[in-house]
Each structure stands twice: as C-alpha cells, then as structure tokens.
C-alpha cells in the first residue's frame, strides 16, 4: 500500500474535506498518510473500523507506549485525553463525581439568560459575525463560570486557547501552554485559600473518592486545562456549524421553523453532517492491530477521521445530504468508548438553546452577502469557520 500525500490535496482539503475522505474510503477504510512536513500516520476513514478503533485498548492514548513523551506533559500534566486505563478510569471517576448531569441541567436558566442577553446586544445592528457575537462568548462564559474563572481573564484565555488548538508556531504554542499552566496553578491556589465554593473547580479540589483518593495539584491543573479547552472550542463550532448548515440548506431551515420539534434532530444531524471535531486526537499502537484488512504495526500513530466516519454510506444512506429528520443514531461526533466526550450533554444543551433563541428572535436570519469570505480553521482537528457573517 502506497503512502497518501495529504499535501497534494492542497487548501481545498481544509474547505471541502469530505470528497477526499470519500475517495480514500472507496480505496479502503485505513490508509497510511503523510503530511506536508513529512509526518506519517495511519488514517481511519471507515465507520465500522473507526468505531472499533476508538474503543480498542490496543490503541493507547498515552504516547509513552511508543517511547514518546508528549510535549505538554511536563507543562500541563496528564489528563483524560492522554491517559489509559487504569489511570484514565481513576481520573474519570473523580471528575464525573462533580461534573454530573444534575450540575449541567442546573445551568439551563443561566445559559438561557446569557443567550438572550447576547442576542439582545446583536439585534439593533441587523447584522453580526455570529462567531464573535454568540457562538464564542456563550460557551466561554458558561465553561468559565462553571469552573470559576474570573470574567476579566477570559480575553487572555481566548488567545491561549486559539493558539493551543490551532498553533501558529512551536514557540508561540509553548509560550501559551506555559502561561496557561501557570495561570491555572495560581487559580487553583486561590480557590484552595478561599475554601469551599459552588463552582466545578472548587468541587474538584475538595472531591474525594470513597477510598480517600483525590486529584493531585498537577492532575487538577491538567483537568482544568482539558475542561476549559474542550469545553468551549468544540461548542463554538457546534453552534456556528449548525447555523451555517441550516442557512445553506433553506429547505431544512424551513422545516425546522415549521416544526420546532425537529430541534434535537437538527443538532444531531449537524453533528453528523459537519461536526465541530474533524478528527480524534492521536492514538498509538501498543502491538500490531488489524483494521479493515490492514495491519498497522506496533509503535505507530493512528488518527480516526470522525468527519469521514459520519459520512460513510455503509452507515448513513446518502451521507452527503443534510436531513434534520434523519435517524442519526450511531454518529461518532462525541467519540466512542471510554474517551466518549464528558461534556456532550452540556454542548448539546448550549447548542439547542442558542439555535432556538436565534430562530425565535430572527425570523429572517440569513447569511450576510456583504460579509467577508469564510476563513476555515486550519489543521485536521477542528472543523469550522473563524467568522460567520449573518443578517436579519
């Protein structure tokens, strides 16, 4: 099997990745690929094979199994996305004891109020960049309030987060991570000194398992880092992508306006059709692993293309059709297995509230024809646009 040169796809691969994934899938569900910088890994593009890979313990999340140390480990520490069982089991048990469904459900009135306030601020102008006006400030405010991050620090946090998710260079990436890690250490110490409080980070500091186990300082820092980054970057794109998908499919927008009961289905179909996470983070083969008739040797990097999996016609008929009435069960936008997204209920709640509020307040919401062309987020990890000009 020859190595696929992803660089040959050019910039169009960032804008329109799905036709390229379809061509790869037609040739087989698993391929060895190479990035323009020469980095090679294995890319999984078939739904059945990808779902299996996401839950296969032979595909580790810790790079230690192949003798590599993650660059952020010394700065941030080990978190849920870089740990395997039994360490992952322990960390997840400690955080899920605090990040409960009840805590998420209790956020609904606050999310509704924040959304209403943001839309109030948007309304007089008649047009806005949906990302800057709503899709970004809503989830960042929610996750920061949930964790107890002061409002004054959120603009700085946005700069760090943007650099860490879509790096512009190794030096800036490392500096952002160091600054973010130092900030989180100081925040944790402030909360320890302040004593018990209602926010999630204070709860994690105080939380103990039945056997007395608790998160260490580095583990708290790593957990806060993961929750803050994953807790808002993905939801920004969930909201913006869903609105973009509806505005570019007016028949589906009309169907939703005619039947608000299709709201949940709209969110799920958007997650499947053009979700916020294009690929998983890397996995590493502990031993040779056979996937879809291809044997991946031990010590290899493996990336599961979630966007490709959810467009697999073997799982979803007519996968390139956006259909809010579709049965979307089995989509993998939030992952699968022990690393299934901890924040999925919160992301869905924010997405539903944001979309319902927008459509209720702006009956003639549409893309702004005078807006700047879309700038797509670079890289393979995140799927979305930097700005989404709309008008009403």
């Amino acid at each position: 099997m020859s190595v696929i040169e992803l660089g040959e796809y050019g910039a169009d691969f960032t804008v329109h990745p799905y036709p390229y994934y379809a061509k790869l899938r037609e040739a087989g569900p698993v391929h060895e690929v190479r990035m323009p910088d020469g980095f090679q890994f294995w890319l999984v593009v078939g739904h059945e094979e990808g779902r299996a890979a996401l839950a296969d313990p032979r595909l580790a999340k810790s790079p230690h199994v192949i003798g590599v140390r993650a660059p952020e480990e010394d700065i941030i520490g080990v978190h849920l996305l870089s740990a395997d069982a039994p360490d992952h089991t322990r960390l997840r048990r400690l955080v899920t004891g605090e990040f409960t469904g009840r805590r998420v459900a209790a956020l609904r009135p606050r999310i509704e109020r924040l959304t209403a306030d943001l839309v109030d601020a948007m309304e007089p102008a008649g047009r806005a960049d949906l990302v800057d006006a709503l899709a970004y400030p809503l989830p960042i405010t929610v996750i920061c309030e949930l964790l107890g991050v002061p409002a004054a620090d959120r603009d700085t946090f946005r700069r760090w987060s943007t650099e860490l998710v879509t790096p512009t260079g190794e030096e800036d990436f490392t500096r952002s991570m160091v600054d973010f890690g130092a900030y989180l250490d100081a925040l944790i110490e402030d909360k320890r000194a302040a004593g018990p409080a209602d926010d999630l980070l204070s709860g994690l500091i105080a939380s103990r398992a039945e056997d007395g186990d608790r998160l260490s300082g580095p583990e708290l820092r790593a957990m806060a880092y993961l929750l803050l980054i994953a807790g808002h970057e993905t939801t920004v794109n969930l909201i913006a992508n869903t609105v973009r998908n509806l505005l570019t499919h007016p028949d589906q927008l009309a169907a939703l306006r005619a039947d608000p009961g299709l709201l949940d289905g709209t969110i799920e179909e958007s997650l499947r059709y053009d979700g916020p996470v294009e690929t998983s983070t890397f996995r590493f083969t502990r031993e040779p692993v056979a996937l879809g008739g291809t044997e991946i040797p031990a010590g290899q990097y493996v990336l599961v293309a979630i966007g490709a999996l959810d467009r697999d016609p073997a799982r979803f008929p007519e996968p390139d059709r956006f259909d809010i009435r579709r049965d979307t069960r089995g989509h993998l936008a939030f992952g699968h297995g022990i690393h299934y997204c901890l924040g999925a209920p919160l992301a869905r709640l924010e997405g539903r509230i944001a979309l319902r509020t927008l459509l209720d307040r702006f009956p003639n919401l549409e893309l702004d024809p005078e807006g700047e062309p879309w700038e797509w987020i670079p890289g393979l990890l995140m799927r979305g646009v930097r700005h989404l000009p709309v008008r009403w």
Side-chain angles (χ1 to χ4, degrees):
M1 178 186 295
S2 60
V3 177
I4 305 295
E5 300 286 349
L6 292 184
E8 293 181 358
Y9 296 160
D12 191 55
F13 183 46
T14 300
V15 181
H16 302 112
Y18 302 110
Y20 296 99
Y21 287 138
K23 288 182 180 179
L24 287 173
R25 194 187 310 107
E26 288 169 7
V30 180
H31 298 273
E32 190 172 13
V33 302
R34 182 160 43 227
M35 296 293 283
D37 63 2
F39 178 64
Q40 286 187 207
F41 57 93
W42 295 82
L43 186 69
V44 184
V45 295
H47 187 279
E48 181 180 348
E49 295 76 16
R51 188 176 188 276
L54 291 171
D56 193 329
R58 296 173 299 172
L59 293 168
K61 293 294 290 179
S62 170
H64 289 192
V65 302
I66 63 169
V68 173
R69 189 175 183 86
E72 68 267 24
E73 187 172 327
D74 293 330
I75 302 170
I76 296 297
V78 175
H79 51 68
L80 289 171
L81 279 183
S82 60
D84 299 303
D87 295 330
H88 177 275
T89 309
R90 170 182 165 268
L91 290 171
R92 184 133 182 162
R93 183 182 69 244
L94 287 167
V95 72
T96 51
E98 289 297 322
F99 195 24
T100 60
R102 183 180 304 164
R103 187 188 283 271
V104 171
L107 291 171
R108 176 183 290 275
R110 179 59 178 153
I111 296 171
E112 291 175 340
R113 181 70 264 159
L114 286 169
T115 305
D117 289 345
L118 289 166
V119 173
D120 283 346
M122 290 167 60
E123 187 167 19
R127 56 178 12 111
D129 169 15
L130 189 78
V131 175
D132 280 349
L134 179 65
Y136 174 79
L138 176 62
I140 189 60
T141 303
V142 170
I143 197 66
C144 285
E145 288 187 357
L146 179 64
L147 281 161
V149 174
D153 297 334
R154 290 170 198 168
D155 285 343
T156 302
F157 167 69
R158 182 179 190 178
R159 292 198 300 274
W160 291 332
S161 179
T162 299
E163 179 61 35
L164 293 172
V165 172
T166 52
T168 57
E170 185 175 347
E171 185 177 339
D172 289 340
F173 176 83
T174 301
R175 184 186 305 111
S176 293
M177 186 167 288
V178 169
D179 291 346
F180 194 11
Y183 171 81
L184 291 173
D185 283 340
L187 180 64
I188 289 165
E189 287 310 306
D190 287 347
K191 290 189 175 297
R192 285 191 197 278
D198 291 336
D199 63 85
L200 176 58
L201 187 52
S202 295
L204 290 172
I205 291 169
S207 178
R208 287 182 182 270
E210 291 182 3
D211 60 2
D213 187 21
R214 65 190 306 176
L215 293 169
S216 68
E219 288 170 343
L220 282 166
R221 178 181 61 233
M223 192 70 72
Y225 167 84
L226 179 62
L227 291 171
L228 281 164
I229 297 289
H232 96 277
E233 286 284 354
T234 52
T235 310
V236 172
N237 292 321
L238 168 58
I239 294 170
N241 288 2
T242 301
V243 173
R244 177 171 49 80
N245 291 333
L246 284 169
L247 296 183
T248 54
H249 295 84
D251 60 322
Q252 299 300 298
L253 176 58
L256 177 57
R257 287 196 181 281
D259 181 3
L262 294 171
L263 180 65
D264 286 0
T266 300
I267 296 294
E268 297 306 312
E269 173 65 346
S270 190
L271 284 164
R272 180 207 68 84
Y273 176 80
D274 202 19
V277 179
E278 186 173 334
T279 67
S280 68
T281 51
F282 279 108
R283 283 162 167 76
F284 312 93
T285 50
R286 301 176 185 271
E287 58 189 76
V289 176
L291 282 175
T294 297
E295 182 165 299
I296 303 174
Q300 300 288 300
Y301 289 74
V302 177
L303 201 60
V304 178
I306 293 169
L309 273 48
D310 284 341
R311 294 277 192 116
D312 188 339
R315 180 62 185 82
F316 298 104
E318 297 182 79
D320 296 326
R321 181 167 57 87
F322 182 63
D323 179 6
I324 64 175
R325 294 185 176 89
R326 180 192 298 273
D327 181 355
T328 57
R329 286 176 294 182
H331 79 66
L332 298 165
F334 289 116
H336 176 63
I338 66 170
H339 293 284
Y340 183 84
C341 178
L342 186 70
L346 179 58
R348 284 183 164 116
L349 179 61
E350 291 180 64
R352 288 195 296 264
I353 292 171
L355 184 57
R356 186 188 67 229
T357 305
L358 271 176
L359 297 185
D360 286 349
R361 293 285 294 276
F362 303 141
N364 57 345
L365 183 70
E366 62 180 358
L367 294 173
D368 189 344
E370 298 177 18
E372 293 294 318
W374 296 337
E375 177 189 352
W376 292 85
I377 296 171
L380 293 175
L381 180 61
M382 305 300 293
R383 173 71 179 163
V385 292
R386 298 282 198 197
H387 303 284
L388 185 64
V390 295
R391 69 179 185 182
W392 50 91

